[in-house]
Amino acid sequence: MPEFWEFPTVSMGIGPMNAIYQAQSNRYLHNRGIKDTSDQQVWAFLGDGEMDEPESRGLLQLAANERLDNLNFVINCNLQRLDGPVRGNGKIMQELEAFFRGAGWNVIKVVWGREWDELLEKDEDGSLVGIMNSTPDGDYQTYKAESGGFVREHFFGKTPQTKEMVADYSDDAVWKLKRGGHDYRKVFAAYKAATEFKGKPTVILAKTVKGYGLGPHFEGRNATHQMKKLTSEDLKAFRDHLRIPVSDEQIDDDLYNAPYYHPGADAPEIKYLLDRRKALGGFVPERRNKHTEITLPGDKAYEVAKRGSGKQMAATTMAFVRLLKDLMRDKEFGNRVVPIIPDEARTFGMDSFFPTAKIYNPNGQNYLSVDRDLVLAYKESVEGQILHAGINEAGSVAAFTAAGTAYATHGEPLIPVYVFYSMFGFQRTGDSYWAAADQMTRGFIIGATAGRTTLTGEGLQHADGHSPLLASTNPAVVTYDPAYGYEIGHIVRDGLKRMYGEGSEDRNLMYYITVYNEPILQPKEPEELDVEGILKGIYLLSPAKIDGARAQLLASGVSVPWALEAQQILADDWGVSADVWSVTSWNELRRDGLAAEEDAFLNPSEDARVPFITQQLEGATGPIVAVTDYMKAIPDQVRQFLPNEFATLGADGFGFSDTRAAARRFFKIDSHSVVVRALEMLARRGEVDAGAPAEAIDKYKLLDVNAGTTGNTGGDS
Amino acid sequence: MAVEQGGPEILSNLAGGTDGDPEETAEWIESLDELIRVQGTERAQFIMRSLLQRAGARSVGVPMVTTTDYVNTIPVDQEPDFPGDEEIERKFRAWMRWNAAVMVHRAQRPEIGVGGHISTYAGAATLYEVGFNHFFRGKDHPGGGDQVFFQGHASPGMYARLSLRDA
């Protein structure tokens, strides 16, 4: 329902995070002069059980620090989660009150309905409040699954004073002492206070009964969340309780077809309902897709990306950051870019953005910065463009989601560019990306310091050998693993066109691009570049330069230079003629191949479409060696679309703490491993000498980890 | 309800603000000092805790006190008048609760069996309805409208509202 739900956040804990960052994003748009959001509020309806997710409580401080008084949490405290009580022995409302207040929030509790007002008025010695304070939630839950008589005995009966208070109440009157969350007046008072409160976000803790009004089989029962079927008796009792004009026969005729109720469009109640919505500005929820059209950057912004790095070495991270800088300089487009960083800007060379773009802080910069005299000083500003989330990937994805949906939420497209350690992306926050996709978020996700052997020396928990595979599970994510700056330029340009360009169809994409920290020589863009190949996932980078036994080398990202070296060694030492292909996206090639298979499957009478990779490699003879700094499963995705013999070299396993060269030798993915693997396949076909593979293993000391030479030692981490 | 200005307590000192009557403040502090001197720290601690508790009960926002009594934060005499017609609102809330429960119930027909939750919305209907009838602003509101994150488990209630609105 893309025109109805705006914020589909069903996975517990994601709603609270995203609501906080939505409130931040509203202020960000306002402070940067993109849109006046001063009269907009964010409401998040949450469960008390949901507050046990660390995501639910872990970002509260941001809302307090940024004084997000445009944010209201309403926590439905029904004291129950799926299996049982949230805090049987304790009091979840008191715990949350302390927690939120400690985090700097304004707290409003709505515990009791109006029926209690009179009793509390009479409670001069505090006996009633004393019982209220000391009764655990487990008991409160049980009361509501029992009866008025039970409440009289077990609650009011605790002291003579309280027992006396309800002496002239009937059991029914005791039963009807309601909880605050079911009382219009009490809830209204709380919402009004919340929306008028200045300087802090507000949380409303409203006490309710789960399954309220559904009768004794549902109210307050432990299994109530899972109970979906109503018996004939339940339905009739519920009908009576709600005074619905439906007859017994209508229920009993076909139990599973119990009728809905509508009084007709002219009923005064329906008129009232519609009038209220009209007065408040239309229906909620509603999602609108229309937005300001933006002019995308022209050729100029991509010029530097085509130039290469000359004699200097540069990592693809640097190439990307340089491109981003040029995009942000674009006069019409640049201010819509939202760089999001969880505290690694310096590693990525993005500290160069600090003095000009500045770091967003609604409180400005109220201290003397230690590096104020430096060119790259740390500058915070109310108008800052960079969202610096701190060491906080969960919050960063929430910020990404808010910015990446501003096109719909506010009709103002923003282009979030979230740059982070690739290991802490899909693995750590995969659920949030899934929710982002559901919310139709658009933007760039840049997995830096990618690869299993490229960021060595920080332990196996930093060594990303699988994020593209995890990314492939999200249908909205388009994954690229480019080798060079010019490839990045074309990919980003196409991404902007697809996500934000006028008339583009299917814009609801997120571009995941992996970049590396290893400095390499960045070639300038070749004259006759196969741009379509880059965008679809594979192009011929370096055709074989000699005649001889044929082999095909497929590589992606940081492994492309290894394949080029292997091509040279194969030619020089073994007379083998190998082509080198840069695979910019294994994932997109697979999706295209699967789509072609699906076409063929459902249209057996038509000529089957040939997958793109099969077309590209038509006529590319000889065995294929695919090499990657990721696990083997990533290149293996395209195996079924190629008729050639196919071998994969990849970095399966946890990682290896040593130099890059040693790690690549350890995983047998280095240049010499590619050479030996190609020889082995050619020998089996009788195209090179049968002894060549063994000879090569000896010659290159392939089994000696310390003999590896693939890769250098530079780069930030 | 007192309106608090300024940042979170963790960034301010306990007293904060300006002292409107330093002489009176000094007398209070003197009394406390005397209490500690005569009766000892244990007694002083008890008195202080009691005063803090009382302050909470009287809606005096005191920093560093993290919980208040298990009663409504807004005292009865500070409740605003409810601006709606409660009877009418209750009436169509009942219809929504019925339609929401029936919707999930119908989906349990053995050959359909698609799941859904009844109890969450049943218990939260008032929390949503007060919002819908009095607070949540739509996209045509001059301010641009509010952003509301609904609980997924309560979605049958939103569809029930849709059923009343569109039929």
Side-chain angles (χ1 to χ4, degrees):
Chain A
M1 299 177 80
E3 272 131 45
F4 189 67
W5 296 113
E6 266 191 303
F7 306 103
T9 52
V10 182
S11 184
M12 300 277 104
I14 289 179
M17 290 197 292
N18 284 12
I20 289 172
Y21 279 86
Q22 185 61 52
Q24 184 204 43
S25 188
N26 289 4
R27 286 281 159 82
Y28 174 87
L29 279 161
H30 190 87
N31 286 334
R32 292 198 51 223
I34 296 172
K35 193 192 170 206
D36 180 353
T37 61
S38 55
D39 196 20
Q40 296 190 285
Q41 298 237 341
V42 176
W43 294 82
F45 285 79
L46 311 166
D48 50 356
E50 178 175 19
M51 297 313 291
D52 279 341
E53 293 284 3
E55 290 92 335
S56 301
R57 301 198 200 185
L59 295 166
L60 300 181
Q61 71 283 1
L62 176 103
N65 290 339
E66 300 203 353
R67 305 180 191 204
L68 299 177
D69 52 22
N70 57 341
L71 175 64
N72 310 295
F73 274 14
V74 179
I75 304 182
N76 176 13
C77 296
N78 57 30
L79 316 184
Q80 285 180 250
R81 45 182 171 71
L82 263 74
D83 290 340
V86 177
R87 292 288 184 277
N89 292 320
K91 290 168 94 69
I92 188 64
M93 289 180 74
Q94 301 298 85
E95 179 185 320
L96 291 174
E97 178 185 29
F99 201 95
F100 275 86
R101 188 164 286 139
W105 285 51
N106 174 43
V107 181
I108 300 173
K109 286 191 294 191
V110 184
V111 190
W112 308 111
R114 70 192 74 166
E115 301 81 7
W116 292 86
D117 290 347
E118 192 191 326
L119 295 174
L120 284 162
E121 179 77 39
K122 282 195 266 178
D123 184 37
E124 277 167 17
D125 68 350
S127 306
L128 179 58
V129 171
I131 294 173
M132 288 172 165
N133 285 345
S134 57
T135 300
D137 282 356
D139 281 340
Y140 279 117
Q141 183 194 344
T142 300
Y143 296 153
K144 281 299 171 192
E146 294 288 342
S147 64
F150 189 94
V151 175
R152 181 195 303 280
E153 185 188 340
H154 289 87
F155 181 79
F156 290 105
K158 284 181 181 176
T159 69
Q161 294 90 324
T162 47
K163 197 175 174 185
E164 181 55 30
M165 270 183 193
V166 291
D168 56 357
Y169 278 53
S170 67
D171 282 356
D172 190 48
V174 171
W175 184 246
K176 282 185 176 152
L177 291 165
K178 283 201 289 291
R179 295 195 173 161
H182 303 302
D183 188 319
Y184 278 104
R185 279 193 225 158
K186 304 291 181 189
V187 173
F188 178 85
Y191 288 5
K192 187 162 186 288
T195 51
E196 289 169 359
F197 194 88
K198 296 287 172 225
K200 290 179 184 186
T202 293
V203 60
I204 292 157
L205 304 169
K207 184 165 169 156
T208 64
V209 179
K210 189 158 177 142
Y212 182 64
L214 289 173
H217 292 121
F218 281 80
E219 281 188 358
R221 296 283 168 189
N222 275 342
T224 190
H225 191 75
Q226 305 305 93
M227 288 164 61
K228 307 166 199 310
K229 288 182 208 180
L230 295 150
T231 62
S232 162
E233 188 193 341
D234 288 334
L235 272 172
K236 287 173 193 164
F238 192 40
R239 173 203 61 190
D240 294 344
H241 172 76
L242 297 173
R243 299 197 194 106
I244 306 292
V246 166
S247 68
D248 283 4
E249 292 72 38
Q250 281 175 292
I251 290 172
D252 288 328
D253 274 356
D254 180 358
L255 185 59
Y256 282 115
N257 217 11
Y260 292 116
Y261 179 70
H262 194 290
D266 294 333
E269 294 83 359
I270 300 300
K271 281 197 153 60
Y272 178 101
L273 181 157
L274 295 174
D275 284 349
R276 288 310 306 148
R277 286 318 315 160
K278 206 169 165 194
L280 287 162
F283 295 115
V284 173
E286 186 196 357
R287 187 176 189 279
R288 290 188 186 170
N289 233 345
K290 260 184 75 131
H291 59 75
T292 311
E293 286 297 341
I294 53 174
T295 309
L296 298 179
D299 292 340
K300 206 173 151 230
Y302 301 94
E303 268 168 20
V304 175
K306 293 175 197 269
R307 246 184 248 159
S309 60
K311 288 190 179 132
Q312 299 266 319
M313 307 258 260
T316 44
T317 304
M318 288 170 71
F320 174 80
V321 169
R322 182 59 219 267
L323 171 64
L324 181 59
K325 204 170 197 177
D326 289 342
L327 293 172
M328 285 168 68
R329 267 196 204 128
D330 187 283
K331 280 209 173 68
E332 284 185 56
F333 170 87
N335 75 326
R336 293 185 180 270
V337 175
V338 184
I340 302 168
I341 315 164
D343 206 37
E344 285 283 358
R346 291 179 201 280
T347 306
F348 309 140
M350 290 175 78
D351 46 346
S352 63
F353 293 23
F354 291 168
T356 45
K358 299 188 184 69
I359 294 155
Y360 174 73
N361 191 322
N363 301 314
Q365 190 167 34
N366 304 315
Y367 57 93
L368 205 56
S369 177
V370 67
D371 58 2
R372 63 195 178 280
D373 294 333
L374 301 183
V375 179
L376 298 187
Y378 193 83
K379 283 231 170 80
E380 302 191 69
S381 161
V382 181
E383 295 96 27
Q385 186 168 5
I386 303 164
L387 283 182
H388 196 297
I391 304 174
N392 171 14
E393 283 83 9
S396 297
V397 185
F400 174 80
T401 305
T405 50
Y407 73 90
T409 315
H410 292 289
E412 293 292 344
L414 295 176
I415 294 92
V417 180
Y418 168 34
V419 191
F420 57 98
Y421 267 46
S422 69
M423 191 61 166
F424 309 129
F426 284 90
Q427 173 155 293
R428 190 181 190 118
T429 55
D431 202 16
S432 290
Y433 286 120
W434 192 258
D438 197 11
Q439 204 177 315
M440 294 177 269
T441 306
R442 300 166 186 168
F444 291 95
I445 308 166
I446 308 299
T449 58
R452 183 150 277 156
T453 65
T454 304
L455 180 72
T456 57
E458 299 207 13
L460 65 88
Q461 292 180 32
H462 279 70
D464 171 25
H466 51 275
S467 70
L469 203 59
L470 300 179
S472 78
T473 61
N474 188 319
V477 174
V478 179
T479 305
Y480 283 100
D481 186 27
Y484 298 127
Y486 67 81
E487 295 179 0
I488 296 174
H490 286 286
I491 291 163
V492 168
R493 188 172 196 169
D494 187 57
L496 284 173
K497 210 171 90 193
R498 284 177 76 188
M499 293 187 283
Y500 299 95
E502 222 173 326
S504 167
E505 285 170 26
D506 191 19
R507 296 167 161 205
N508 299 322
L509 303 170
M510 300 185 280
Y511 267 58
Y512 179 48
I513 303 175
T514 46
V515 291
Y516 300 84
N517 72 337
E518 183 175 353
I520 57 169
L521 283 176
Q522 298 278 343
K524 73 177 175 56
E525 180 170 311
E527 294 288 326
E528 304 276 312
L529 183 66
D530 176 6
V531 176
E532 189 198 8
I534 289 184
L535 301 179
K536 288 194 165 172
I538 185 168
Y539 72 102
L540 181 59
L541 174 69
S542 171
K545 291 172 186 72
I546 62 162
D547 289 329
R550 302 275 297 150
Q552 306 298 324
L553 307 181
L554 272 55
S556 66
V558 77
S559 70
V560 167
W562 320 341
L564 289 171
E565 192 187 8
Q567 179 189 43
Q568 189 70 46
I569 299 169
L570 279 166
D572 292 350
D573 293 2
W574 309 94
V576 168
S577 163
D579 295 323
V580 174
W581 302 78
S582 174
V583 181
T584 49
S585 179
W586 303 100
N587 292 17
E588 285 303 289
L589 291 173
R590 177 169 180 80
R591 281 183 182 164
D592 170 75
L594 292 179
E597 281 185 354
E598 174 102 353
D599 277 354
F601 164 40
L602 299 175
N603 303 290
S605 53
E606 287 167 31
D607 284 344
R609 178 170 77 79
V610 180
F612 181 75
I613 186 171
T614 320
Q615 287 174 42
Q616 282 287 76
L617 268 76
E618 197 188 358
T621 52
I624 292 172
V625 179
V627 60
T628 172
D629 203 20
Y630 293 107
M631 61 195 296
K632 297 183 178 87
I634 290 167
D636 279 344
Q637 292 184 95
V638 303
R639 184 184 283 272
Q640 77 212 59
F641 309 114
L642 295 167
N644 315 47
E645 287 166 69
F646 191 100
T648 307
L649 301 178
D652 289 41
F654 277 119
F656 190 71
S657 290
D658 205 316
T659 61
R660 286 181 184 133
R664 288 164 188 170
R665 176 56 59 88
F666 171 81
F667 285 111
K668 305 292 179 290
I669 55 175
D670 63 333
S671 307
H672 296 99
S673 297
V674 176
V675 170
V676 174
R677 195 73 170 99
L679 289 173
E680 183 252 328
M681 292 170 93
L682 289 166
R684 250 194 287 134
R685 296 157 67 117
E687 293 182 16
V688 299
D689 192 67
E695 195 187 323
I697 288 176
D698 280 351
K699 182 178 166 79
Y700 306 128
K701 298 196 185 88
L702 201 74
L703 305 181
D704 179 358
V705 165
N706 293 318
T709 58
T710 300
N712 58 41
T713 53
D716 290 315
S717 58
Chain B
M1 225 13 267
V3 172
E4 282 188 53
Q5 294 280 355
E9 275 88 22
I10 48 172
L11 281 182
S12 57
N13 66 43
L14 200 50
T18 43
D19 193 346
D21 189 348
E23 229 177 88
E24 190 190 27
T25 310
E27 279 175 28
W28 281 93
I29 291 173
E30 209 179 292
S31 305
L32 176 66
D33 289 343
E34 187 70 4
L35 172 74
I36 298 167
R37 194 181 65 77
V38 177
Q39 306 218 45
T41 51
E42 211 174 305
R43 177 70 190 152
Q45 194 180 50
F46 184 82
I47 296 283
M48 282 303 295
R49 281 172 179 268
S50 303
L51 284 173
L52 286 172
Q53 187 163 359
R54 188 68 182 160
R58 300 295 306 273
S59 293
V60 177
V62 184
M64 315 309 286
V65 176
T66 51
T67 59
T68 56
D69 280 336
Y70 200 64
V71 294
N72 296 347
T73 305
I74 301 172
V76 178
D77 60 10
Q78 289 179 34
E79 272 176 24
D81 288 337
F82 182 72
D85 183 326
E86 208 177 328
E87 202 181 321
I88 288 188
E89 290 188 28
R90 277 168 186 277
K91 216 162 167 186
F92 63 74
R93 178 185 67 179
W95 302 339
M96 284 177 202
R97 295 176 66 209
W98 173 260
N99 286 354
V102 165
M103 185 180 96
V104 178
H105 169 74
R106 281 182 167 206
Q108 307 317 312
R109 179 183 285 280
E111 66 270 27
I112 300 175
V114 293
H117 295 280
I118 292 181
S119 295
T120 301
Y121 178 70
T126 305
L127 299 179
Y128 287 115
E129 279 304 302
V130 173
F132 280 124
N133 292 323
H134 303 284
F135 291 94
F136 306 155
R137 292 166 300 181
K139 298 230 181 269
D140 292 327
H141 187 273
D146 295 333
Q147 286 101 34
V148 188
F149 288 68
F150 296 100
Q151 276 184 290
H153 288 127
S155 58
M158 311 308 134
Y159 295 128
R161 199 159 224 281
L162 210 56
S163 77
L164 285 185
R165 159 189 136 184
D166 291 344

